[in-house]
Each structure stands twice: as C-alpha cells, then as structure tokens.
Amino acid sequence: MLAVTLDDPSDLDAWRAKARSLLLAGVDPADVEWRTGAGGGLFGSDDVIPPARRTTVPAVPRAFLGLAGTVLAHRDPRRHATLYRMLWRIAHGERELLRIATDEDVAWAHACARQVSRDMHKMKAFVRFREVRLGEDTVYVAWFEPEHDIVPAVAPFFVRRFTGMHWSLLTPSRSAHWDGATLAIGPGADRADAPTEDALEDLWRTYYASIFNPARLKVDAMRREMPVKYWKNLPEARLIPELVRDALPRMQAMVERQPTVPRKKVTPLQKAAVDAPEGSIAALRRQARDCRACDLWKPATQTVFGAGPSDARIVVIGEQPGDQEDLAGKPFVGPAGKLFDRALDEAGIDRSALYVTNAVKHFKFEPRGKVRLHKRANAEEQAACRPWLAAEIERIRPHGIVCMGAMAAQGVFGSSFRLMAQRGQWLDLPDGRKAMATVHPSYLLRLPDHDAREAGFADFVRDLKLMREVLG
Ligand code: URA
C-alpha cells in the first residue's frame, strides 16, 4: 500500500498533481491509501511515489476535471480514491466513462456533486451578514455551517454580491475575508467569533414578514427549502412559528380584502442567479460544453454559448440556436442572424460591440429525413439553461439587456410580460438594470407578405436604435 497525503483535501490542483504522479508511475488505485492533512500527520509521512514509467498522461475530458473539482468539496473520505479510480479507468481506455450513468463510480460522483451543489445553493441563500463596528470601520460578519467544504467555491459569489463591503464569512472549517480588493481564505472559526444581533436583523424580519404569503403556506415545502438546521442563523426564522400560526386568519382576511396592486416579483433570471456557475466568460463557455442540465445536449452537435466582448455594454438575448448555429457553435449566424446583422447595420450599431447570446444554448429539433426541423424549447429546458444566462449577465455586468422574442423577454421580465404591448422601451428591472424587448428576427422572416415584412423590419430597426443611448 502506498500512502499519499493531501494537506488540503478539497484542493483540485493538489489532488491532480498527486494523481498524475501516481498514474505516470502506474500505481494501481487499489494500492493507494489516500490520507488528508491531520491523518498524514498522525500516521507518519508519505511513501515515495515510484518513478514515472511513462512520460505523458492521456488527455482527460474537461468534464471529468469539472466533476472532480466539485466532488473534492464533498466531505466523504472516499472521494480521493474514487476519483483516482475513475481517472485510472479513463486513462486506461474507458474514455466515455462519464457517459455511463449507471456505472457505480460515476453515479456516486454525480450524487456527491449534486449534494455539494445543493449545499452551495443553501449557503448562497441563507448566509446573513451582521454589522460589526471596528472604530471607524464597518465590517460585516456571517456565521454558517455548511455540510461540505464549499467556502473557496462560494466565496467569489459573495465578492460579486457585496463588492463594496468589507466582510468575513466564518464556518467551522474555513473562513473567507474580503477587504474590498482581496479575497483571502483562512482557517475555520468558532460560532462565538461571529455576532448574533445587529440593526440589520429588524430589516430582515420586516422584509421576510412582508414577502410571506399566508395563502401559499406549505410547511413541508418550507422546511425542505429552508431546513430547520439553518434557522438558528437567520434573523427572520424567529418569525416563522408566529407566521405559521397566524396564516389561516391572515388568509381569510386577504380573501375579504379588496385586490391590491401586485408587488414586484423576482424575475426568473434573478431566481436562476442563485444557481449561476462561477468563473470568467471563457471558463463558463468551457463548462457549458459539458452541460447535462437537460437532455437537449444529446442530439445537438454542441453547446452554442454567447459571443462578444466580456465587457460589452449591452447583452442581446435571442431564443435558441438554429441548425446553422448548432453546426458553427456560434449564435446568430443563420438566416435570422443575417437579418439581425442587416437591421444592426441600418440602425448604425456595430455587432462587435455587443455580447450576443441565447436563452437556451442547444439546438432543439425534430429530424425529418435529412432536415432538422426547429422545435421550441419547453419551460423546463428554458429553466435548466437559465443559470448560464444569469452567469453571463453577472460576469459582463451590462448597462442594458436587449431581449429578442418572447422567450428571452419572459425569462428576463417574468411571464406576465407582453412583448407586443411593451416592446421598444427601456424598462427598469428589479435589480436596477435596464432592459428592453423587441421581436425576434425569425418572426420577421415568417411574416406572410412583403409589405408586412418591410413594416416589421422598420419597427425592428427603430427598436434596435434605442441601444445607441446605452452604447454612447
Ligand atoms: N435564433 C436565435 O434565437 N438564436 C440564434 O442563435 C439563432 C436563431
């Protein structure tokens, strides 16, 4: 047995370096004992990995590295050994291993990755910072107890959310600190290091009480979404028993009251932002190549990710790639794209200044002989793809978003958005961004007669010209 120690058990680069040396030396997975920091210290030092028997390791699919990075954050002590066994199998001829969903190792790794993703989702949703005054400075400190080792993976999300604040995120195994410029990951902390009360608590409680809808009270679903173990760190949780008790009388009162003006809803895009993957646009594009969030990847040639400058002032969102986009791997290169280019020309806008993407990133079609007939992505497929769009928008931080077609517009504004009634005007989104909707160029291609097409095109150009206000 060959003992190998990892100082940081969740660090992909460290695991990868050891796994690579083992693979080059031809060490069978069954002969390796993986230890982590403390274990290595207790049981003595590492064995020396034998010299390499080969000079290169076969290229490993990118999807495996993505999966390994997530699985390593899981606390299961079997993760290093299982991942090395999978790597070994891939390097020894099982190149398509990840496609075999029923394989025991693959199924186990995916189950771990799902648990880690869920834990990350909970952390993003339930962390509450509390204000601490340090002389002149204000620091925000939060305490959270994640199940897995997810602080390094989640911290960048909080950097983006609270860029202007100085904060510390404390957990039992690690901490993250942001001073407005640098993110530092440090050791774990104690519950006592974080405050329990501050003036923000009342704000949270008022907010929660105001969004709580007694008519939609589902105690089981609430427990599932906001498990009781998180309640102790949530200021609003103290309200839950009272709100549940009062739900029935409040609901009766609601029924009797006159209808009121509906409150602004959270948009589908805002909801999806919680699950938005991390990384630069280039990293997102790489990750999206292996997206399996719905089944559209199976018959499609490739993922068609957005294209354009990652600091574009405007993001244009279409619906879904067509036949030619699927083959080229780029958005809007087919007939609808040609019409879009012509309209941009006429509106005096340079497409190279725009980041152009789609609400759904795979071509959906029905084969008819040699032809692939376009099919509209359904609501589940659109929802599965939305975190990619949310990530693109979070990374680019555009000044304006332009939606072409109802699918894009309803994802950005919400399902009550009516394209033909509300097109052609900049509107404010709940997050303060500006967005505008117009028709999709393929709608113009489908118009039945020449005059209608000409008039439709002129209106489309008029809408696109509004981008000039934002492009400057
Ligand atoms: N239609 C779209 O919505 N997007 C494309 O990329 C092509 C056609």
Side-chain angles (χ1 to χ4, degrees):
M1 219 20 133
L2 191 109
V4 173
T5 304
L6 292 167
D7 291 336
D8 182 343
S10 309
D11 182 8
L12 176 64
D13 290 337
W15 173 84
R16 209 175 153 190
K18 297 269 184 189
R20 192 183 147 79
S21 307
L22 290 166
L23 206 55
L24 287 172
V27 182
D28 191 285
D31 297 332
V32 186
E33 184 197 344
W34 290 87
R35 297 170 177 173
T36 54
L42 283 178
F43 297 112
S45 57
D46 265 16
D47 294 324
V48 176
I49 298 178
R53 287 207 221 140
R54 51 203 279 186
T55 48
T56 53
V57 172
V60 173
R62 230 177 252 119
F64 174 76
L65 290 177
L67 181 65
T70 309
V71 171
L72 284 172
H74 201 281
R75 300 238 189 244
D76 193 312
R78 292 167 296 177
R79 64 200 187 278
H80 308 106
T82 310
L83 288 171
Y84 180 54
R85 186 166 56 239
M86 290 172 75
L87 179 67
W88 174 273
R89 292 175 60 191
I90 291 170
H92 286 81
E94 294 183 63
R95 297 270 319 152
E96 300 298 314
L97 178 64
L98 289 193
R99 289 189 191 272
I100 309 172
T102 50
D103 180 271
E104 218 174 290
D105 287 340
V106 175
W108 182 88
H110 280 299
C112 286
R114 272 195 303 277
Q115 287 160 15
V116 169
S117 298
R118 187 172 159 78
D119 203 28
M120 288 175 60
H121 175 84
K122 296 289 176 213
M123 185 161 183
K124 289 175 185 173
F126 296 139
V127 157
R128 298 287 182 267
F129 286 96
R130 294 178 161 103
E131 192 178 298
V132 177
R133 293 227 172 239
L134 296 174
E136 292 289 284
D137 296 331
T138 303
V139 180
Y140 293 86
V141 183
W143 172 255
F144 194 76
E145 293 168 42
E147 281 178 25
H148 302 289
D149 190 8
I150 54 175
V151 171
V154 179
F157 167 84
F158 289 105
V159 170
R160 284 196 303 280
R161 275 289 141 91
F162 304 116
T163 314
M165 290 163 36
H166 293 191
W167 51 257
S168 288
L169 179 49
L170 310 180
T171 79
S173 62
R174 290 191 201 257
S175 53
H177 309 273
W178 172 250
D179 62 4
T182 312
L183 176 66
I185 304 292
D190 283 335
R191 175 76 191 88
D193 297 330
T196 49
E197 285 285 340
D198 77 356
L200 293 181
E201 309 274 282
D202 280 346
L203 244 170
W204 272 112
R205 277 194 282 269
T206 313
Y207 168 74
Y208 187 77
S210 72
I211 60 163
F212 180 82
N213 182 350
R216 300 185 62 188
L217 176 66
K218 290 197 181 111
V219 178
D220 286 348
M222 197 156 103
R223 285 219 168 89
R224 237 183 357 258
E225 280 308 308
M226 198 202 263
V228 176
K229 68 177 176 183
Y230 297 114
W231 289 18
K232 60 180 180 296
N233 297 317
L234 299 175
E236 66 269 31
R238 235 177 285 162
L239 295 175
I240 293 173
E242 191 187 323
L243 290 170
V244 171
R245 195 190 58 225
D246 294 347
L248 192 60
R250 275 185 66 196
M251 193 175 87
Q252 278 160 352
M254 273 169 77
V255 172
E256 283 154 23
R257 235 182 287 136
Q258 293 291 326
T260 51
V261 180
R263 214 181 295 114
K264 262 193 190 162
K265 291 220 177 88
V266 177
T267 65
L269 195 60
Q270 279 179 302
K271 277 192 204 145
V274 175
D275 292 320
E278 310 287 340
S280 63
I281 288 291
L284 292 170
R285 182 175 293 117
R286 280 197 299 276
Q287 290 174 59
R289 282 185 203 147
D290 301 309
C291 181
R292 304 287 183 261
C294 72
D295 282 342
L296 291 186
W297 66 274
K298 286 185 186 162
T301 310
Q302 57 193 314
T303 305
V304 180
F305 207 69
S310 52
D311 58 353
R313 291 173 72 89
I314 292 190
V315 168
V316 178
I317 310 170
E319 303 206 318
Q320 56 192 87
D323 183 73
Q324 296 197 26
E325 285 80 14
D326 171 75
L327 297 173
K330 295 196 180 93
F332 284 101
V333 293
K338 300 234 159 43
L339 189 65
F340 177 47
D341 286 344
R342 193 152 71 76
L344 285 174
D345 261 359
E346 203 138 315
I349 292 161
D350 183 359
R351 174 158 169 183
S352 68
L354 309 173
Y355 182 89
V356 179
T357 189
N358 281 301
V360 171
K361 313 262 190 265
H362 278 113
F363 178 37
K364 181 172 181 183
F365 61 92
E366 206 173 274
R368 280 283 165 79
K370 287 190 179 156
V371 182
R372 303 191 296 172
L373 286 185
H374 170 95
K375 266 187 97 179
R376 186 182 165 82
N378 63 32
E380 285 82 44
E381 289 153 352
Q382 292 175 39
C385 215
R386 207 167 284 128
W388 292 115
L389 181 60
E392 287 174 294
I393 289 174
E394 282 206 13
R395 235 36 47 76
I396 294 173
R397 296 175 170 267
H399 294 238
I401 298 173
V402 173
C403 308
M404 297 200 297
M407 183 192 289
Q410 293 190 342
V412 169
F413 292 105
S415 57
S416 57
F417 188 83
R418 292 292 161 260
L419 182 65
M420 286 317 198
Q422 294 174 277
R423 66 179 284 189
Q425 48 185 321
W426 286 112
L427 300 167
D428 289 328
L429 291 172
D431 65 5
R433 285 209 173 88
K434 276 179 179 314
M436 192 245 294
T438 185
V439 295
H440 192 281
S442 7
Y443 157 82
L444 300 173
L445 291 171
R446 285 194 303 267
L447 286 175
D449 65 80
H450 177 266
D451 288 352
R453 270 199 302 277
E454 286 295 301
F457 183 74
D459 289 344
F460 183 48
V461 171
R462 190 202 55 218
D463 289 351
L464 295 185
K465 275 187 182 162
L466 293 177
M467 286 199 243
R468 298 206 307 221
E469 290 168 23
V470 173
L471 289 169

